[in-house]
Amino acid sequence: MKAAIIGVGMTKFGRDLEHQLPELAAQAVNLALDDAGVDRKDIQYVAFANVGGWSAEFFPMPIVCEYAGLTPIGGMRVEAACASGSAALNAACMAVASGAVDIALAVGAERMNELSTPQVVELLGRGGNFFWEFESFGLTFPAYYALYATAYMQEYGASEEDLAKIAVKNHYYGSMNPKAQFQKKITLEDVMKSRYIAWPLKLYDCSPITDGAAAAIVASEKVASKLTDTPIWVKAQGLATGTANLTMREDLLSIRSAVEAAKEAYKIAGIEEPVKSLDFALVHDCFTIAEILAYEDLGFAKRGEGYLLAREEQTYIGGLIPVNIDGGLKSKGHPIGASGLGMVHEAVKQLRQEIDGNRQAPIRKGQALIHNVGGTGHFAYVTILSLEKPRA
Amino acid sequence: MKAAIIGVGMTKFGRDLEHQLPELAAQAVNLALDDAGVDRKDIQYVAFANVGGWSAEFFPMPIVCEYAGLTPIGGMRVEAACASGSAALNAACMAVASGAVDIALAVGAERMNELSTPQVVELLGRGGNFFWEFESFGLTFPAYYALYATAYMQEYGASEEDLAKIAVKNHYYGSMNPKAQFQKKITLEDVMKSRYIAWPLKLYDCSPITDGAAAAIVASEKVASKLTDTPIWVKAQGLATGTANLTMREDLLSIRSAVEAAKEAYKIAGIEEPVKSLDFALVHDCFTIAEILAYEDLGFAKRGEGYLLAREEQTYIGGLIPVNIDGGLKSKGHPIGASGLGMVHEAVKQLRQEIDGNRQAPIRKGQALIHNVGGTGHFAYVTILSLEKPRA
């Protein structure tokens, strides 16, 4: 399957009630069109990533398309929980690789602050298996990930400080990212003193509620090289679903769907030793524990040793493998339908070496990984982007 | 783009509160697997069509997958309003045609009766442009289509009886369809005496609120012919979006997105004279007026003459072109996320000549059309299915 990203765009993530959902999406689309140097008339297919539930608008996709000047281009809304952005990228890639179209658009947008924080907490709390587990257990979304954290700490001896180091790193990089929701450095003490949301996760262990949009323009092999000198090839995408029932999980020490998705992506891309093959990774740190699990699920560390990468600061630029050097969901923000495409935005800019200052990773292997999880492992998408055109 | 449908399944459509959404979906999946003669382990990609909003379950797709024994297969939920089923078919076709997978599943399910009728009316009423039009105009969904009906009757002189004849035809065929929600014939008088929902649309002009699921298994060119003697090829799909703002429509005499989608599908399939090239069509008769507009939007009749096909009974088997010989949404039912795949179920069975009794259309051209509209023209998908493998 051959497909290349030829343009990306994203809004500044943050609390943004000044712009309606279609305005946020159109901003990202316009930036992506400018970046690709193509006209909106050149787009032949649209995959719109959006979870929704925040507003009364029941069918947001055509409204977004119309506002962004894309009507009557065909397409659909896609939803894979917090991995929706990666699902839209996948749909756009399949559209061009199938020969159906030459240029496709993946755009994701979410406007979560339309609801109050308690309402957002209630909605996201349904992100387990609502029918079987929510009404009986009453877990909030942070509480789901707190179960992962407590299981992990109990089994392997990781500490709250180890989790906190993830937040410190991601805020450090976020402080240099003008698109990030929080552009301020924090200290280990800041994290440790922040209030508990769901023990052992504190305020600074949690990604925020965010409004924002991101977009990527995908082209077929036939047209990509004509349109840009630096196409970023989607070398592989692995995708998997997992049980929504916590009671059905074999353990809470890894996210099964992410393991499956990574295995598939590595197989397609021919990657045997991830840390040696990748310049950097952007992983789904909805909570600090999720980034540590990702280290292990992606094979950056052995089982039970992911927290040591955090403790030893091996995921800063210059370490074993730089991770979330855009600030991650933690500091950059997490507008759930847009987050996957926000990662794509960063990975493409990094691979093209267009990042200002200390946030640019050295690009030696020409290859990066995006890890995007939906729910508590309901969905996982692992995407390998590459400067080199895939052979198969 | 080459993709073939090798198996289909659907539940009996109707009011069904005995089965949860995952149970409905799993029933359809199991029937499709049996029909295709493949195992659920052979499925490599799942597109799940579901509009949702009826239940508190926020991320239904992984729950459906788990219940249907499909975990950890990757995929996503797709939504294109009432055309979601066709969007899922499109995603599954692109997945196989891109080379990403060999066998993909499109499954759609909706359980609308989870809400009370007034709640369903409120939710569907948002299916205009909620932000700009709902709170100012307060239209219900039938009222949107009543605007089409009044404009059409005013412009062309069609009568309420002409609309009623669509309902009579569709109930006639529905009476012979064991999967239909309403299996009873009605008379013109029954329709004319039924109460007004939104003038000139009466109860029998409107499709019902339905629970149900439908599924299709799609295979790549490479494996389709190995797995079945009668692959049904997806020869073309045209897709388009339209404005959700009624105030932005040029007129209310046709559905622009459907015209665009049909044009694209006919171009890909090389169809110049639809009624001569198709054995039958299944069109989106959410209201009787919608079927008459479809006749014109699809080129079965000239502008302003669609109602004459109804008046002259030209869309029964034996007429110019048989339409909605499964009962249509009107009598078969309209579980919105599943409806497009319910049409696929019927078209595949018809093309294979597996329909019992008087409902089987003569198959001479080996080709059929599915027209699936989302919202009031927000989305349109026109699909051409064929017994013959496409050349391109």
Side-chain angles (χ1 to χ4, degrees), chain A residues 253-271:
Chain A
L253 299 169
S254 93
I255 293 180
R256 172 83 190 279
S257 57
V259 173
E260 297 281 346
K263 205 193 304 173
E264 188 188 353
Y266 289 152
K267 190 179 160 195
I268 297 168
I271 291 174

PDB file of all heavy atoms in Angstrom, chain A residues 253-271:
ATOM      1  N   LEU A 253      -1.105  -4.738  32.790  1.00  0.00           N
ATOM      2  CA  LEU A 253       0.303  -4.350  32.684  1.00  0.00           C
ATOM      3  C   LEU A 253       0.692  -3.976  31.256  1.00  0.00           C
ATOM      4  O   LEU A 253       1.844  -3.614  31.006  1.00  0.00           O
ATOM      5  CB  LEU A 253       1.183  -5.492  33.194  1.00  0.00           C
ATOM      6  CG  LEU A 253       0.931  -5.847  34.668  1.00  0.00           C
ATOM      7  CD1 LEU A 253       1.626  -7.159  35.019  1.00  0.00           C
ATOM      8  CD2 LEU A 253       1.412  -4.722  35.580  1.00  0.00           C
ATOM      9  N   SER A 254      -0.236  -4.092  30.345  1.00  0.00           N
ATOM     10  CA  SER A 254       0.032  -3.664  28.973  1.00  0.00           C
ATOM     11  C   SER A 254      -1.295  -3.483  28.268  1.00  0.00           C
ATOM     12  O   SER A 254      -2.336  -3.925  28.764  1.00  0.00           O
ATOM     13  CB  SER A 254       0.917  -4.675  28.240  1.00  0.00           C
ATOM     14  OG  SER A 254       0.148  -5.610  27.540  1.00  0.00           O
ATOM     15  N   ILE A 255      -1.249  -2.799  27.128  1.00  0.00           N
ATOM     16  CA  ILE A 255      -2.465  -2.598  26.341  1.00  0.00           C
ATOM     17  C   ILE A 255      -2.381  -3.525  25.136  1.00  0.00           C
ATOM     18  O   ILE A 255      -1.603  -3.308  24.213  1.00  0.00           O
ATOM     19  CB  ILE A 255      -2.616  -1.104  25.965  1.00  0.00           C
ATOM     20  CG1 ILE A 255      -2.881  -0.298  27.241  1.00  0.00           C
ATOM     21  CG2 ILE A 255      -3.743  -0.909  24.947  1.00  0.00           C
ATOM     22  CD1 ILE A 255      -3.054   1.195  27.042  1.00  0.00           C
ATOM     23  N   ARG A 256      -3.175  -4.569  25.195  1.00  0.00           N
ATOM     24  CA  ARG A 256      -3.106  -5.652  24.221  1.00  0.00           C
ATOM     25  C   ARG A 256      -3.238  -5.171  22.772  1.00  0.00           C
ATOM     26  O   ARG A 256      -2.501  -5.600  21.891  1.00  0.00           O
ATOM     27  CB  ARG A 256      -4.215  -6.655  24.564  1.00  0.00           C
ATOM     28  CG  ARG A 256      -4.436  -7.763  23.572  1.00  0.00           C
ATOM     29  CD  ARG A 256      -3.491  -8.925  23.759  1.00  0.00           C
ATOM     30  NE  ARG A 256      -3.592  -9.843  22.623  1.00  0.00           N
ATOM     31  CZ  ARG A 256      -4.541 -10.760  22.482  1.00  0.00           C
ATOM     32  NH1 ARG A 256      -5.465 -10.927  23.422  1.00  0.00           N
ATOM     33  NH2 ARG A 256      -4.571 -11.525  21.405  1.00  0.00           N
ATOM     34  N   SER A 257      -4.222  -4.265  22.537  1.00  0.00           N
ATOM     35  CA  SER A 257      -4.457  -3.798  21.165  1.00  0.00           C
ATOM     36  C   SER A 257      -3.222  -3.073  20.632  1.00  0.00           C
ATOM     37  O   SER A 257      -2.888  -3.180  19.446  1.00  0.00           O
ATOM     38  CB  SER A 257      -5.683  -2.890  21.107  1.00  0.00           C
ATOM     39  OG  SER A 257      -5.540  -1.787  21.987  1.00  0.00           O
ATOM     40  N   ALA A 258      -2.515  -2.349  21.517  1.00  0.00           N
ATOM     41  CA  ALA A 258      -1.312  -1.628  21.079  1.00  0.00           C
ATOM     42  C   ALA A 258      -0.197  -2.610  20.724  1.00  0.00           C
ATOM     43  O   ALA A 258       0.555  -2.397  19.767  1.00  0.00           O
ATOM     44  CB  ALA A 258      -0.849  -0.660  22.167  1.00  0.00           C
ATOM     45  N   VAL A 259      -0.104  -3.679  21.498  1.00  0.00           N
ATOM     46  CA  VAL A 259       0.897  -4.718  21.206  1.00  0.00           C
ATOM     47  C   VAL A 259       0.612  -5.331  19.832  1.00  0.00           C
ATOM     48  O   VAL A 259       1.519  -5.490  19.001  1.00  0.00           O
ATOM     49  CB  VAL A 259       0.889  -5.806  22.303  1.00  0.00           C
ATOM     50  CG1 VAL A 259       1.786  -6.980  21.925  1.00  0.00           C
ATOM     51  CG2 VAL A 259       1.302  -5.199  23.645  1.00  0.00           C
ATOM     52  N   GLU A 260      -0.654  -5.640  19.580  1.00  0.00           N
ATOM     53  CA  GLU A 260      -1.053  -6.234  18.289  1.00  0.00           C
ATOM     54  C   GLU A 260      -0.787  -5.265  17.138  1.00  0.00           C
ATOM     55  O   GLU A 260      -0.278  -5.655  16.087  1.00  0.00           O
ATOM     56  CB  GLU A 260      -2.557  -6.576  18.305  1.00  0.00           C
ATOM     57  CG  GLU A 260      -2.979  -7.610  19.317  1.00  0.00           C
ATOM     58  CD  GLU A 260      -2.680  -9.037  18.858  1.00  0.00           C
ATOM     59  OE1 GLU A 260      -2.398  -9.225  17.667  1.00  0.00           O
ATOM     60  OE2 GLU A 260      -2.716  -9.929  19.725  1.00  0.00           O
ATOM     61  N   ALA A 261      -1.161  -4.014  17.333  1.00  0.00           N
ATOM     62  CA  ALA A 261      -0.994  -3.018  16.265  1.00  0.00           C
ATOM     63  C   ALA A 261       0.487  -2.795  15.963  1.00  0.00           C
ATOM     64  O   ALA A 261       0.887  -2.669  14.806  1.00  0.00           O
ATOM     65  CB  ALA A 261      -1.670  -1.708  16.661  1.00  0.00           C
ATOM     66  N   ALA A 262       1.307  -2.761  17.016  1.00  0.00           N
ATOM     67  CA  ALA A 262       2.755  -2.561  16.822  1.00  0.00           C
ATOM     68  C   ALA A 262       3.355  -3.742  16.076  1.00  0.00           C
ATOM     69  O   ALA A 262       4.152  -3.571  15.143  1.00  0.00           O
ATOM     70  CB  ALA A 262       3.445  -2.380  18.176  1.00  0.00           C
ATOM     71  N   LYS A 263       2.956  -4.940  16.476  1.00  0.00           N
ATOM     72  CA  LYS A 263       3.471  -6.148  15.817  1.00  0.00           C
ATOM     73  C   LYS A 263       3.187  -6.085  14.316  1.00  0.00           C
ATOM     74  O   LYS A 263       4.059  -6.339  13.479  1.00  0.00           O
ATOM     75  CB  LYS A 263       2.780  -7.377  16.435  1.00  0.00           C
ATOM     76  CG  LYS A 263       3.578  -8.664  16.327  1.00  0.00           C
ATOM     77  CD  LYS A 263       2.742  -9.911  16.658  1.00  0.00           C
ATOM     78  CE  LYS A 263       2.086  -9.894  18.016  1.00  0.00           C
ATOM     79  NZ  LYS A 263       1.161 -11.043  18.224  1.00  0.00           N
ATOM     80  N   GLU A 264       1.962  -5.709  13.970  1.00  0.00           N
ATOM     81  CA  GLU A 264       1.565  -5.643  12.563  1.00  0.00           C
ATOM     82  C   GLU A 264       2.357  -4.555  11.820  1.00  0.00           C
ATOM     83  O   GLU A 264       2.867  -4.780  10.722  1.00  0.00           O
ATOM     84  CB  GLU A 264       0.062  -5.371  12.460  1.00  0.00           C
ATOM     85  CG  GLU A 264      -0.478  -5.483  11.038  1.00  0.00           C
ATOM     86  CD  GLU A 264      -1.941  -5.031  10.909  1.00  0.00           C
ATOM     87  OE1 GLU A 264      -2.585  -4.757  11.945  1.00  0.00           O
ATOM     88  OE2 GLU A 264      -2.413  -4.946   9.763  1.00  0.00           O
ATOM     89  N   ALA A 265       2.466  -3.386  12.437  1.00  0.00           N
ATOM     90  CA  ALA A 265       3.175  -2.275  11.786  1.00  0.00           C
ATOM     91  C   ALA A 265       4.642  -2.616  11.574  1.00  0.00           C
ATOM     92  O   ALA A 265       5.208  -2.350  10.505  1.00  0.00           O
ATOM     93  CB  ALA A 265       3.029  -1.005  12.622  1.00  0.00           C
ATOM     94  N   TYR A 266       5.270  -3.199  12.587  1.00  0.00           N
ATOM     95  CA  TYR A 266       6.694  -3.569  12.469  1.00  0.00           C
ATOM     96  C   TYR A 266       6.891  -4.616  11.377  1.00  0.00           C
ATOM     97  O   TYR A 266       7.870  -4.586  10.636  1.00  0.00           O
ATOM     98  CB  TYR A 266       7.236  -4.094  13.804  1.00  0.00           C
ATOM     99  CG  TYR A 266       7.391  -3.043  14.884  1.00  0.00           C
ATOM    100  CD1 TYR A 266       7.311  -3.379  16.242  1.00  0.00           C
ATOM    101  CD2 TYR A 266       7.643  -1.712  14.564  1.00  0.00           C
ATOM    102  CE1 TYR A 266       7.456  -2.426  17.237  1.00  0.00           C
ATOM    103  CE2 TYR A 266       7.794  -0.747  15.554  1.00  0.00           C
ATOM    104  CZ  TYR A 266       7.694  -1.103  16.892  1.00  0.00           C
ATOM    105  OH  TYR A 266       7.855  -0.152  17.867  1.00  0.00           O
ATOM    106  N   LYS A 267       5.952  -5.533  11.282  1.00  0.00           N
ATOM    107  CA  LYS A 267       6.052  -6.579  10.267  1.00  0.00           C
ATOM    108  C   LYS A 267       5.984  -5.969   8.870  1.00  0.00           C
ATOM    109  O   LYS A 267       6.821  -6.262   8.006  1.00  0.00           O
ATOM    110  CB  LYS A 267       4.917  -7.591  10.473  1.00  0.00           C
ATOM    111  CG  LYS A 267       5.058  -8.849   9.624  1.00  0.00           C
ATOM    112  CD  LYS A 267       3.910  -9.808   9.908  1.00  0.00           C
ATOM    113  CE  LYS A 267       3.762 -10.800   8.755  1.00  0.00           C
ATOM    114  NZ  LYS A 267       2.471 -11.488   8.812  1.00  0.00           N
ATOM    115  N   ILE A 268       5.003  -5.104   8.657  1.00  0.00           N
ATOM    116  CA  ILE A 268       4.845  -4.475   7.329  1.00  0.00           C
ATOM    117  C   ILE A 268       6.075  -3.630   7.000  1.00  0.00           C
ATOM    118  O   ILE A 268       6.572  -3.645   5.871  1.00  0.00           O
ATOM    119  CB  ILE A 268       3.568  -3.595   7.287  1.00  0.00           C
ATOM    120  CG1 ILE A 268       2.317  -4.450   7.492  1.00  0.00           C
ATOM    121  CG2 ILE A 268       3.484  -2.832   5.954  1.00  0.00           C
ATOM    122  CD1 ILE A 268       1.045  -3.646   7.746  1.00  0.00           C
ATOM    123  N   ALA A 269       6.577  -2.890   8.003  1.00  0.00           N
ATOM    124  CA  ALA A 269       7.698  -1.972   7.762  1.00  0.00           C
ATOM    125  C   ALA A 269       9.055  -2.675   7.807  1.00  0.00           C
ATOM    126  O   ALA A 269      10.083  -2.076   7.506  1.00  0.00           O
ATOM    127  CB  ALA A 269       7.671  -0.844   8.795  1.00  0.00           C
ATOM    128  N   GLY A 270       9.066  -3.940   8.191  1.00  0.00           N
ATOM    129  CA  GLY A 270      10.326  -4.673   8.285  1.00  0.00           C
ATOM    130  C   GLY A 270      11.220  -4.188   9.413  1.00  0.00           C
ATOM    131  O   GLY A 270      12.450  -4.197   9.303  1.00  0.00           O
ATOM    132  N   ILE A 271      10.611  -3.775  10.510  1.00  0.00           N
ATOM    133  CA  ILE A 271      11.381  -3.263  11.654  1.00  0.00           C
ATOM    134  C   ILE A 271      11.547  -4.363  12.700  1.00  0.00           C
ATOM    135  O   ILE A 271      10.564  -4.934  13.182  1.00  0.00           O
ATOM    136  CB  ILE A 271      10.672  -2.034  12.272  1.00  0.00           C
ATOM    137  CG1 ILE A 271      10.749  -0.844  11.300  1.00  0.00           C
ATOM    138  CG2 ILE A 271      11.279  -1.673  13.630  1.00  0.00           C
ATOM    139  CD1 ILE A 271       9.974   0.375  11.743  1.00  0.00           C
TER     140      ILE A 271
END
